[in-house]
Amino acid sequence: MKRFVLVSFLIVLCFSSNSAEASIESVDLNLENHEVAITFLDLSVGEAILLQRSEGGAVLINTGSSASEEELIDRLRILNVKEISKVFLTNADEVYTGNFNTLLRYFNVNELLISDQLQKSLISPIPSQVVKTVVRDKQKLELLEDVNAEIINISKAGEVTYMLSLGSQHLLMMGEVDVELEESIASSGRTVEVLKVANFGDGNGTSAEFLSSIDPQMAVIFRHKNIDVSESVLERLSETWTDVYYPYRIGSVTLRFQNDRYDVITLPTKETR
């Protein structure tokens, strides 16, 4: 059964109108005590997810493609990110890792979370000043205070599928298209509030049985320049009454978690397609 989601725009925006088209300069998400914001960044190509707490601190999950380098740095600036305590890389493909070294030029990154398989696939070495933490299958770890991650599966290529948990609320981040993995998750009986669709909406995954079992309220699909979102996947999401968000089309999508509910905030930018 679908649950109610409050849609809110309780944010403070600062605009610059020096050009013909006004652009957003900064955003205050108005996070209160112990609130957490999870933002799916609106990059033209690639995947990046930002975690922030009211008390400060930020974690970035993936960095998007190098084709979206300026967009990534701009979005982090707009969201007032000063320091990134951790970066979590979940796939060796360039659309996930392309801006990692660029990130180090702009931010003080303390720790890199990465699977052993993925580490061996990286083209660039991990800088010595960054603490490396190897994540393992079935491991549970704390990304931020009150934000826990459970590693559900790591493929042979190092693709990580994981669950983010904030109290009783869960976000399932699918890392690969894998029928057996979907069946395993479905058979667990777990439901989720949010689904990050595997492999940019590839048509070989996100089955009807899988969606019916996990019963997500909303789904997020990032963009890959060589992968078109499958119409069959969209049909299955529609049939299960799942709201679909495309950050690269509508702007960054922020979920602000408050106790046992979350607000959905969309942040359009002048580059939004």
Side-chain angles (χ1 to χ4, degrees):
M1 179 181 295
K2 297 300 180 188
R3 298 154 295 276
F4 175 74
V5 181
L6 175 65
V7 179
S8 173
F9 294 92
L10 300 178
I11 57 176
V12 177
L13 306 178
C14 296
F15 291 91
S16 171
S17 57
N18 294 328
S19 61
E21 183 177 9
S23 61
I24 296 174
E25 285 294 307
S26 64
V27 174
D28 183 354
L29 293 172
N30 284 329
L31 295 177
E32 299 179 357
N33 191 35
H34 296 298
E35 288 185 348
V36 175
I38 298 180
T39 301
F40 300 87
L41 299 177
D42 60 324
L43 305 184
S44 298
V45 182
E47 174 183 314
I49 304 168
L50 178 68
L51 281 58
Q52 295 173 286
R53 277 180 51 82
S54 57
E55 293 78 6
V59 171
L60 188 65
I61 305 176
N62 298 316
T63 69
S65 167
S66 58
S68 303
E69 175 184 319
E70 292 184 5
E71 292 173 338
L72 175 67
I73 301 304
D74 179 65
R75 302 312 184 265
L76 295 176
R77 176 188 58 78
I78 287 174
L79 289 163
N80 296 305
V81 175
K82 307 299 182 184
E83 181 176 338
I84 298 175
S85 60
K86 300 174 184 177
V87 172
F88 182 16
L89 297 180
T90 69
N91 191 303
D93 194 290
E94 196 273 342
V95 294
Y96 297 87
T97 66
N99 293 312
F100 178 65
N101 287 327
T102 297
L103 202 68
L104 299 179
R105 298 202 303 267
Y106 288 88
F107 297 95
N108 180 24
V109 176
N110 299 322
E111 183 180 4
L112 172 64
L113 304 174
I114 190 170
S115 69
D116 189 52
Q117 300 94 315
L118 195 157
Q119 178 189 180
K120 295 174 182 177
S121 302
L122 287 180
I123 298 175
S124 302
I126 299 170
S128 58
Q129 73 270 22
V130 178
V131 175
K132 180 190 66 178
T133 298
V134 176
V135 301
R136 305 189 186 284
D137 199 9
K138 311 308 178 187
Q139 182 181 2
K140 295 182 179 180
L141 58 153
E142 186 178 71
L143 296 182
L144 281 176
E145 185 179 348
D146 300 325
V147 183
N148 298 305
E150 176 187 352
I151 308 301
I152 293 177
N153 183 74
I154 301 178
S155 72
K156 292 181 179 179
E159 299 161 321
V160 181
T161 292
Y162 61 101
M163 184 87 75
L164 290 181
S165 297
L166 298 89
S168 61
Q169 301 172 101
H170 305 289
L171 298 83
L172 177 59
M173 309 299 197
M174 293 299 292
E176 61 175 325
V177 172
D178 185 302
V179 174
E180 291 185 1
L181 177 58
E182 287 191 0
E183 291 175 348
S184 174
I185 295 172
S187 65
S188 71
R190 301 174 70 172
T191 59
V192 304
E193 280 66 39
V194 181
L195 169 68
K196 193 273 292 182
V197 176
N199 201 30
F200 307 93
D202 184 292
N204 294 316
T206 319
S207 70
E209 295 77 14
F210 173 66
L211 290 172
S212 177
S213 176
I214 65 171
D215 190 29
Q217 297 174 10
M218 63 177 285
V220 178
I221 301 177
F222 287 100
R223 180 174 184 264
H224 191 298
K225 61 183 179 181
N226 297 323
I227 299 175
D228 292 327
V229 179
S230 168
E231 289 297 327
S232 60
V233 168
L234 296 181
E235 288 177 6
R236 294 193 287 271
L237 288 165
S238 176
E239 290 169 356
T240 53
W241 299 94
T242 303
D243 295 327
V244 182
Y245 289 78
Y246 310 87
Y248 60 93
R249 291 182 183 174
I250 64 174
S252 294
V253 178
T254 294
L255 309 182
R256 190 177 63 187
F257 288 86
Q258 309 166 345
N259 298 320
D260 59 350
R261 74 174 193 185
Y262 64 90
D263 300 344
V264 181
I265 304 165
T266 57
L267 177 62
T269 64
K270 65 179 181 179
E271 294 92 352
T272 300
R273 286 143 297 281

